[in-house]
Amino acid sequence: MKFKQPVALVLAGALMCVSLSACSKDEKGAEGADKSADAITSTASGSETVKGLSGMNTERKQVSYMIGMDIAKSLKEIEQEIDVDMLTKGMRDQMADKPLVTEAQHTQIREAFSVKLQAHAEKVAAELPKKNLEAGKAFLAKNKGAPGVITTASGLQYQVLRQGAGAKPATDDALVKVHYKGTLIDGTPFDSSYDRNEPAQFSLAEVVPGWAEGVKLMSVGSKYKLWIPSELGWGETGSPPVIGPNAAVVFEVELLETKPRPAGEAPQMPAGQ
C-alpha cells in the first residue's frame, strides 16, 4: 500500500468523526440546548439540494451522505484497517454521548494506531527509491520499442510529435520559451503550463539534464515527447511531493522561442527544478 498523504493527514481523516462529535458535545454542554434547536440545515421533507437522488429526498439526508463520502475518501488509504460496522457504531455511540471507551482508552488506541501508521509510512518510504527505479527501468525498456521512439546515448527517450522549422537552442544556457505538460510514468499529471495558460521561460543551464538534452534537439515550432530516466531527472532525492525518489518522468514540450539569455534575467522553471 502506497501512502500518498502524510501520516498526520490520514490520522486526521481517521479521527474526523470523533472530533466532530466532540465539538457537538462541547457546544451542547455550553449551551444546554436541545440538539435540534441549533440545527444548521433544514430537515423538512422535500427540501432537496439535489434533485433525483434515490432515498435522499431531504437536505439532511444528502448532507449526511456527502459527509459519509468525505470520511470514506479520507480513510481510503487505510481501508484495510477499518471495520465499517464498528466505525458506524462509534459514530452513533459518540453522537448519543454513550461511547464504549473512556477518553483515556480512546487516547491509548489512537496513539498506538499512530505509531503503527508511522512505522508503515517509514517502511514504504525506505522501499520507494528501489521500487521507483525498477518501475522506471521496466517502463523505459518497454517504451524503447514503441513506434517513433528514439533513445539517445544518455538514455533519454524522445518522440517527434511535430517537427518545426525554426532555430534550435544555440548554447547550453540558451533561454527558451516553452509550453509543457509533465506526468509520472503512470500518467499522473504534476505540472502544466497549459493549465496556467502561460508559457514558461527558463535557461537550459538551470534545468535537469534530460530537459536540457531534449529541448536542444528541438527546432522552434516543434513539439516533442520526452521520457526522462531518473538519472537524467531528479535522481535519488526526487522533487517531493510531486516526483518521488528515482522516478522516471514524461514531458510533452513545445518549443515556442529560443534566444541567448540576457545577463541577470531571472528564469521561470518547470515544477521541481
Side-chain angles (χ1 to χ4, degrees), residues 14-245:
L15 300 171
M16 181 190 302
C17 55
V18 176
S19 299
L20 288 174
S21 58
C23 290
S24 298
K25 181 178 179 180
D26 291 344
E27 289 173 3
K28 180 184 176 185
E31 300 293 337
D34 182 80
K35 289 183 179 180
S36 63
D38 297 321
I40 297 173
T41 58
S42 170
T43 59
S45 177
S47 61
E48 297 176 77
T49 57
V50 178
K51 302 293 184 181
L53 295 180
S54 178
M56 289 180 276
N57 62 343
T58 67
E59 184 181 53
R60 181 178 182 178
K61 289 181 179 180
Q62 292 184 11
V63 169
S64 297
Y65 192 84
M66 175 271 294
I67 292 173
M69 288 178 62
D70 285 345
I71 292 174
K73 289 176 183 178
S74 73
L75 299 177
K76 186 64 178 177
E77 294 182 35
I78 56 170
E79 62 182 329
Q80 299 303 318
E81 305 288 338
I82 302 298
D83 182 317
V84 176
D85 291 338
M86 291 306 296
L87 173 66
T88 304
K89 180 171 176 57
M91 293 180 67
R92 290 185 181 277
D93 290 351
Q94 181 62 41
M95 294 181 77
D97 294 328
K98 296 179 180 179
L100 299 181
V101 300
T102 65
E103 286 300 318
Q105 292 169 330
H106 170 273
T107 299
Q108 182 181 358
I109 295 169
R110 176 170 57 183
E111 290 179 351
F113 188 51
S114 178
V115 170
K116 178 179 179 179
L117 285 180
Q118 184 64 41
H120 180 83
E122 290 172 357
K123 180 176 182 290
V124 170
E127 296 172 348
L128 190 57
K130 181 181 179 182
K131 180 180 178 181
N132 284 344
L133 186 62
E134 292 175 349
K137 286 183 176 180
F139 176 90
L140 293 170
K142 182 178 180 180
N143 191 63
K144 186 176 182 178
V149 174
I150 300 170
T151 303
T152 70
S154 70
L156 174 72
Q157 295 180 0
Y158 71 95
Q159 181 181 43
V160 179
L161 303 179
R162 183 181 69 240
Q163 185 61 57
K168 291 185 176 181
T171 62
D172 289 344
D173 66 346
L175 192 68
V176 296
K177 181 181 289 186
V178 298
H179 255 317
Y180 67 89
K181 176 177 69 175
T183 66
L184 304 179
I185 58 175
D186 65 1
T188 302
F190 59 79
D191 189 30
S192 173
S193 65
Y194 295 104
D195 290 348
R196 295 187 293 274
N197 198 30
E198 182 178 1
Q201 183 169 282
F202 52 87
S203 166
L204 292 181
E206 295 164 304
V207 295
V208 295
W211 249 97
E213 181 182 354
V215 175
K216 282 191 289 186
L217 297 171
M218 301 173 67
S219 302
V220 171
S222 296
K223 182 175 183 179
Y224 281 23
K225 191 167 186 177
L226 308 177
W227 291 269
I228 302 177
S230 63
E231 62 268 23
L232 298 178
W234 287 266
E236 294 182 358
T237 58
S239 181
V242 292
I243 301 172

